[in-house]
Amino acid sequence: MKTLNLHGLVIDSDDAWFYNLLEIENINAKSVEEFLAEANGEDVKLSIDSRGGSVTSGSSIYTMLMNYQGKITAEVTGLCASIASVIMLAAEHIAVSPAASIVIHNVWSVNQGDYRDMAKQSETLKEMSSSIAKMYAKRMGCSLDEAQAAMDEETFYSADQAVEAGIADEKLFEETKASLQMMASIEPMFSSEKIAKLKNFMMAQIKNETNNMQEVKLDSEQYQGLTDRLDQIISFENSETDDPEATKANNSADKPLKNQLFKFG
């Protein structure tokens, strides 16, 4: 999988040389086109941190991503606003970092002229905003009016709100990492896993005892001390597991050692 970093403003390709000269991160259709050509159908992950920019350039990028043969996924790592959130919609799966946000609002522009020019521009902006609202509505599974209302309000979605609204699929890093056994010692220690394996081996030997074995009998105090120590070590690893069967399988209380025979040698 290749990662396409969409960081910075969405700009027209003709202006990219200026931003690149000043070493300012930018997103433009030409660079995206070159990236996708090199990816050549390989799965692509979009890493998005952008406050938006040019609607026309953003529309071109969205179209290229939609026509791409490989799978497109997206991760919102910071801010994904305005036309950047439209580009995001080209992804099949959208994940949002816990502190990131998605912002949707109406299209806007700067214009000059008389009332007729302004009225015409207003209608153009309204139509463009409505077209984008349809894209949001389709992604979020809501009505066009609901999507347009959210754009009218310039809605900010946190990671949780984005998932709840349906504009994103997942909040990143929700899975709890497996607990690790931590220790501080100048001498090596056997892991709980290896000790558990040893215990299981010992129990197997008990079941397969032979006439040549040397018998070692434990009194009640020795038995209690041994089982307590084994359970103490093994329970360190299993104490946080959610699988009661796994815990039961490794609990020596279910496999009493009292008056059992051990084979040595």
Side-chain angles (χ1 to χ4, degrees):
M1 176 180 289
K2 291 185 175 295
T3 299
L4 173 57
N5 291 321
L6 300 178
H7 300 164
L9 283 174
V10 181
I11 63 172
D12 294 332
S13 297
D14 291 341
D15 298 332
W17 69 270
F18 179 75
Y19 285 80
N20 293 337
L21 179 66
L22 299 179
E23 298 183 344
I24 299 174
E25 286 188 307
N26 64 88
I27 307 162
N28 64 83
K30 183 178 180 181
S31 64
V32 173
E33 182 179 23
E34 292 172 348
F35 179 92
L36 295 179
E38 183 179 344
N40 194 30
E42 187 176 343
D43 291 349
V44 171
K45 179 177 71 176
L46 310 178
S47 174
I48 307 175
D49 183 10
S50 170
R51 64 179 185 271
S54 169
V55 173
T56 54
S57 182
S59 178
S60 295
I61 294 171
Y62 169 84
T63 303
M64 284 188 285
L65 294 173
M66 290 296 292
N67 287 328
Y68 183 66
Q69 296 302 309
K71 182 179 180 180
I72 301 287
T73 58
E75 286 188 359
V76 179
T77 61
L79 176 65
C80 180
S82 192
I83 195 63
S85 66
V86 175
I87 295 173
M88 176 193 72
L89 298 180
E92 297 178 30
H93 182 88
I94 300 170
V96 185
S97 189
S101 58
I102 298 172
V103 183
I104 66 174
H105 60 75
N106 289 321
V107 179
W108 64 273
S109 69
V110 177
N111 192 37
Q112 63 180 7
D114 62 18
Y115 69 93
R116 295 166 299 177
D117 297 317
M118 296 300 181
K120 184 177 181 180
Q121 182 72 353
S122 178
E123 286 301 315
T124 300
L125 293 174
K126 186 176 180 180
E127 286 300 318
M128 293 177 70
S129 294
S130 179
S131 296
I132 293 175
K134 292 176 183 177
M135 299 168 69
Y136 289 135
K138 181 179 179 180
R139 182 66 175 76
M140 298 164 70
C142 65
S143 68
L144 176 59
D145 287 341
E146 289 174 325
Q148 185 61 67
M151 293 173 66
D152 289 344
E153 293 296 323
E154 191 174 42
T155 303
F156 284 68
Y157 296 99
S158 66
D160 288 322
Q161 291 170 332
V163 173
E164 183 179 357
I167 199 169
D169 301 293
E170 174 192 359
K171 178 182 176 182
L172 288 172
F173 317 125
E174 286 287 82
E175 293 291 333
T176 302
K177 294 184 178 180
S179 59
L180 299 177
Q181 180 178 351
M182 305 302 291
M183 61 186 71
S185 174
I186 60 174
E187 295 182 1
M189 295 178 63
F190 291 105
S191 68
S192 298
E193 181 182 1
K194 290 187 181 297
I195 292 174
K197 288 181 179 179
L198 174 61
K199 180 181 177 182
N200 291 335
F201 172 78
M202 293 165 65
M203 297 304 299
Q205 292 300 306
I206 292 171
K207 294 180 180 179
N208 297 293
E209 61 188 54
T210 67
N211 294 329
N212 295 325
M213 69 172 63
Q214 296 180 11
E215 297 184 359
V216 177
K217 294 185 178 181
L218 302 178
D219 58 30
S220 59
E221 184 177 353
Q222 290 172 323
Y223 159 75
Q224 188 63 48
L226 178 60
T227 55
D228 286 350
R229 180 54 181 159
L230 287 173
D231 282 337
Q232 181 184 21
I233 296 172
I234 294 170
S235 65
F236 181 88
E237 183 175 47
N238 293 330
S239 61
E240 296 183 358
T241 183
D242 294 326
D243 186 354
E245 293 301 322
T247 302
K248 182 178 179 181
N250 289 310
N251 191 340
S252 66
D254 297 315
K255 301 177 182 179
L257 301 178
K258 187 174 182 180
N259 297 324
Q260 298 292 341
L261 304 178
F262 290 83
K263 180 179 178 180
F264 296 90

